[in-house]
PDB file of all heavy atoms in Angstrom:
ATOM      1  N   LEU A 212       4.310   8.275  10.338  1.00 96.00           N
ATOM      2  CA  LEU A 212       5.633   8.161  10.931  1.00 96.00           C
ATOM      3  C   LEU A 212       5.798   6.751  11.474  1.00 96.00           C
ATOM      4  O   LEU A 212       4.876   6.200  12.090  1.00 96.00           O
ATOM      5  CB  LEU A 212       5.803   9.191  12.042  1.00 96.00           C
ATOM      6  CG  LEU A 212       5.501  10.655  11.639  1.00 96.00           C
ATOM      7  CD1 LEU A 212       5.648  11.576  12.837  1.00 96.00           C
ATOM      8  CD2 LEU A 212       6.404  11.100  10.496  1.00 96.00           C
ATOM      9  N   ILE A 213       6.966   6.134  11.260  1.00 93.00           N
ATOM     10  CA  ILE A 213       7.149   4.714  11.541  1.00 93.00           C
ATOM     11  C   ILE A 213       8.300   4.500  12.514  1.00 93.00           C
ATOM     12  O   ILE A 213       9.321   5.190  12.462  1.00 93.00           O
ATOM     13  CB  ILE A 213       7.419   3.928  10.239  1.00 93.00           C
ATOM     14  CG1 ILE A 213       6.440   4.327   9.136  1.00 93.00           C
ATOM     15  CG2 ILE A 213       7.336   2.433  10.484  1.00 93.00           C
ATOM     16  CD1 ILE A 213       6.723   3.647   7.818  1.00 93.00           C
ATOM     17  N   ALA A 214       8.132   3.503  13.379  1.00 90.00           N
ATOM     18  CA  ALA A 214       9.170   3.145  14.346  1.00 90.00           C
ATOM     19  C   ALA A 214      10.277   2.326  13.686  1.00 90.00           C
ATOM     20  O   ALA A 214      10.046   1.631  12.688  1.00 90.00           O
ATOM     21  CB  ALA A 214       8.548   2.362  15.501  1.00 90.00           C
ATOM     22  N   PRO A 215      11.507   2.367  14.231  1.00 88.00           N
ATOM     23  CA  PRO A 215      12.593   1.507  13.743  1.00 88.00           C
ATOM     24  C   PRO A 215      12.200   0.034  13.881  1.00 88.00           C
ATOM     25  O   PRO A 215      11.369  -0.312  14.733  1.00 88.00           O
ATOM     26  CB  PRO A 215      13.762   1.855  14.686  1.00 88.00           C
ATOM     27  CG  PRO A 215      13.421   3.203  15.232  1.00 88.00           C
ATOM     28  CD  PRO A 215      11.920   3.232  15.341  1.00 88.00           C
ATOM     29  N   PRO A 216      12.767  -0.867  13.020  1.00 87.00           N
ATOM     30  CA  PRO A 216      13.872  -0.632  12.094  1.00 87.00           C
ATOM     31  C   PRO A 216      13.452  -0.151  10.713  1.00 87.00           C
ATOM     32  O   PRO A 216      14.280  -0.084   9.819  1.00 87.00           O
ATOM     33  CB  PRO A 216      14.525  -2.015  12.007  1.00 87.00           C
ATOM     34  CG  PRO A 216      13.357  -2.960  12.131  1.00 87.00           C
ATOM     35  CD  PRO A 216      12.428  -2.310  13.123  1.00 87.00           C
ATOM     36  N   SER A 217      12.187   0.150  10.502  1.00 87.00           N
ATOM     37  CA  SER A 217      11.743   0.683   9.218  1.00 87.00           C
ATOM     38  C   SER A 217      12.250   2.115   9.051  1.00 87.00           C
ATOM     39  O   SER A 217      12.637   2.767  10.027  1.00 87.00           O
ATOM     40  CB  SER A 217      10.218   0.661   9.126  1.00 87.00           C
ATOM     41  OG  SER A 217       9.733  -0.663   9.121  1.00 87.00           O
ATOM     42  N   PRO A 218      12.241   2.646   7.816  1.00 91.00           N
ATOM     43  CA  PRO A 218      12.539   4.063   7.626  1.00 91.00           C
ATOM     44  C   PRO A 218      11.582   4.929   8.441  1.00 91.00           C
ATOM     45  O   PRO A 218      10.475   4.497   8.786  1.00 91.00           O
ATOM     46  CB  PRO A 218      12.331   4.255   6.120  1.00 91.00           C
ATOM     47  CG  PRO A 218      12.562   2.904   5.528  1.00 91.00           C
ATOM     48  CD  PRO A 218      12.030   1.938   6.546  1.00 91.00           C
ATOM     49  N   PRO A 219      11.966   6.178   8.775  1.00 94.00           N
ATOM     50  CA  PRO A 219      11.190   6.970   9.731  1.00 94.00           C
ATOM     51  C   PRO A 219       9.824   7.446   9.242  1.00 94.00           C
ATOM     52  O   PRO A 219       8.976   7.803  10.061  1.00 94.00           O
ATOM     53  CB  PRO A 219      12.106   8.155  10.038  1.00 94.00           C
ATOM     54  CG  PRO A 219      13.043   8.228   8.883  1.00 94.00           C
ATOM     55  CD  PRO A 219      13.237   6.824   8.420  1.00 94.00           C
ATOM     56  N   GLU A 220       9.604   7.478   7.931  1.00 96.00           N
ATOM     57  CA  GLU A 220       8.301   7.918   7.424  1.00 96.00           C
ATOM     58  C   GLU A 220       7.971   7.169   6.150  1.00 96.00           C
ATOM     59  O   GLU A 220       8.845   6.894   5.326  1.00 96.00           O
ATOM     60  CB  GLU A 220       8.294   9.430   7.170  1.00 96.00           C
ATOM     61  CG  GLU A 220       6.936   9.950   6.731  1.00 96.00           C
ATOM     62  CD  GLU A 220       6.806  11.473   6.767  1.00 96.00           C
ATOM     63  OE1 GLU A 220       7.724  12.135   7.277  1.00 96.00           O
ATOM     64  OE2 GLU A 220       5.778  11.995   6.279  1.00 96.00           O
ATOM     65  N   ASP A 221       6.685   6.859   5.991  1.00 95.00           N
ATOM     66  CA  ASP A 221       6.197   6.154   4.809  1.00 95.00           C
ATOM     67  C   ASP A 221       5.731   7.171   3.777  1.00 95.00           C
ATOM     68  O   ASP A 221       4.875   8.016   4.084  1.00 95.00           O
ATOM     69  CB  ASP A 221       5.029   5.246   5.214  1.00 95.00           C
ATOM     70  CG  ASP A 221       4.792   4.125   4.227  1.00 95.00           C
ATOM     71  OD1 ASP A 221       5.738   3.754   3.511  1.00 95.00           O
ATOM     72  OD2 ASP A 221       3.662   3.607   4.183  1.00 95.00           O
ATOM     73  N   PRO A 222       6.238   7.121   2.551  1.00 96.00           N
ATOM     74  CA  PRO A 222       5.833   8.121   1.559  1.00 96.00           C
ATOM     75  C   PRO A 222       4.363   8.037   1.146  1.00 96.00           C
ATOM     76  O   PRO A 222       3.723   9.056   0.928  1.00 96.00           O
ATOM     77  CB  PRO A 222       6.754   7.843   0.369  1.00 96.00           C
ATOM     78  CG  PRO A 222       7.934   7.149   0.949  1.00 96.00           C
ATOM     79  CD  PRO A 222       7.368   6.318   2.068  1.00 96.00           C
ATOM     80  N   PHE A 223       3.843   6.810   0.993  1.00 97.00           N
ATOM     81  CA  PHE A 223       2.416   6.652   0.684  1.00 97.00           C
ATOM     82  C   PHE A 223       1.953   5.312   1.220  1.00 97.00           C
ATOM     83  O   PHE A 223       2.584   4.296   0.978  1.00 97.00           O
ATOM     84  CB  PHE A 223       2.118   6.740  -0.815  1.00 97.00           C
ATOM     85  CG  PHE A 223       0.672   7.057  -1.095  1.00 97.00           C
ATOM     86  CD1 PHE A 223       0.282   8.343  -1.415  1.00 97.00           C
ATOM     87  CD2 PHE A 223      -0.319   6.085  -0.997  1.00 97.00           C
ATOM     88  CE1 PHE A 223      -1.052   8.663  -1.630  1.00 97.00           C
ATOM     89  CE2 PHE A 223      -1.650   6.390  -1.206  1.00 97.00           C
ATOM     90  CZ  PHE A 223      -2.020   7.692  -1.531  1.00 97.00           C
ATOM     91  N   THR A 224       0.829   5.324   1.927  1.00 96.00           N
ATOM     92  CA  THR A 224       0.359   4.140   2.644  1.00 96.00           C
ATOM     93  C   THR A 224      -1.029   3.754   2.136  1.00 96.00           C
ATOM     94  O   THR A 224      -2.039   4.282   2.580  1.00 96.00           O
ATOM     95  CB  THR A 224       0.310   4.418   4.159  1.00 96.00           C
ATOM     96  OG1 THR A 224       1.457   5.159   4.542  1.00 96.00           O
ATOM     97  CG2 THR A 224       0.249   3.121   4.936  1.00 96.00           C
ATOM     98  N   GLY A 225      -1.077   2.803   1.202  1.00 96.00           N
ATOM     99  CA  GLY A 225      -2.345   2.464   0.576  1.00 96.00           C
ATOM    100  C   GLY A 225      -3.330   1.781   1.497  1.00 96.00           C
ATOM    101  O   GLY A 225      -4.538   2.032   1.429  1.00 96.00           O
ATOM    102  N   SER A 226      -2.850   0.891   2.389  1.00 95.00           N
ATOM    103  CA  SER A 226      -3.768   0.212   3.305  1.00 95.00           C
ATOM    104  C   SER A 226      -4.354   1.200   4.306  1.00 95.00           C
ATOM    105  O   SER A 226      -5.547   1.155   4.618  1.00 95.00           O
ATOM    106  CB  SER A 226      -3.041  -0.918   4.034  1.00 95.00           C
ATOM    107  OG  SER A 226      -1.828  -0.453   4.613  1.00 95.00           O
ATOM    108  N   ALA A 227      -3.518   2.113   4.809  1.00 97.00           N
ATOM    109  CA  ALA A 227      -4.015   3.127   5.737  1.00 97.00           C
ATOM    110  C   ALA A 227      -4.949   4.106   5.047  1.00 97.00           C
ATOM    111  O   ALA A 227      -5.889   4.620   5.672  1.00 97.00           O
ATOM    112  CB  ALA A 227      -2.854   3.878   6.377  1.00 97.00           C
ATOM    113  N   THR A 228      -4.713   4.368   3.775  1.00 98.00           N
ATOM    114  CA  THR A 228      -5.598   5.261   3.030  1.00 98.00           C
ATOM    115  C   THR A 228      -7.002   4.686   2.963  1.00 98.00           C
ATOM    116  O   THR A 228      -8.002   5.402   3.130  1.00 98.00           O
ATOM    117  CB  THR A 228      -5.045   5.510   1.622  1.00 98.00           C
ATOM    118  OG1 THR A 228      -3.800   6.215   1.728  1.00 98.00           O
ATOM    119  CG2 THR A 228      -6.010   6.331   0.775  1.00 98.00           C
ATOM    120  N   GLY A 229      -7.125   3.379   2.752  1.00 97.00           N
ATOM    121  CA  GLY A 229      -8.444   2.746   2.746  1.00 97.00           C
ATOM    122  C   GLY A 229      -9.114   2.823   4.100  1.00 97.00           C
ATOM    123  O   GLY A 229     -10.313   3.127   4.208  1.00 97.00           O
ATOM    124  N   ALA A 230      -8.336   2.570   5.179  1.00 97.00           N
ATOM    125  CA  ALA A 230      -8.891   2.657   6.534  1.00 97.00           C
ATOM    126  C   ALA A 230      -9.293   4.083   6.866  1.00 97.00           C
ATOM    127  O   ALA A 230     -10.348   4.323   7.479  1.00 97.00           O
ATOM    128  CB  ALA A 230      -7.866   2.140   7.537  1.00 97.00           C
ATOM    129  N   MET A 231      -8.456   5.040   6.473  1.00 98.00           N
ATOM    130  CA  MET A 231      -8.759   6.456   6.708  1.00 98.00           C
ATOM    131  C   MET A 231     -10.036   6.864   5.996  1.00 98.00           C
ATOM    132  O   MET A 231     -10.906   7.547   6.567  1.00 98.00           O
ATOM    133  CB  MET A 231      -7.582   7.311   6.234  1.00 98.00           C
ATOM    134  CG  MET A 231      -7.819   8.810   6.241  1.00 98.00           C
ATOM    135  SD  MET A 231      -8.488   9.469   4.671  1.00 98.00           S
ATOM    136  CE  MET A 231      -7.096   9.244   3.551  1.00 98.00           C
TER     137      MET A 231
END
Side-chain angles (χ1 to χ4, degrees):
L212 307 178
I213 314 176
S217 294
E220 184 167 352
D221 201 24
F223 200 100
T224 319
S226 51
T228 295
M231 172 269 292

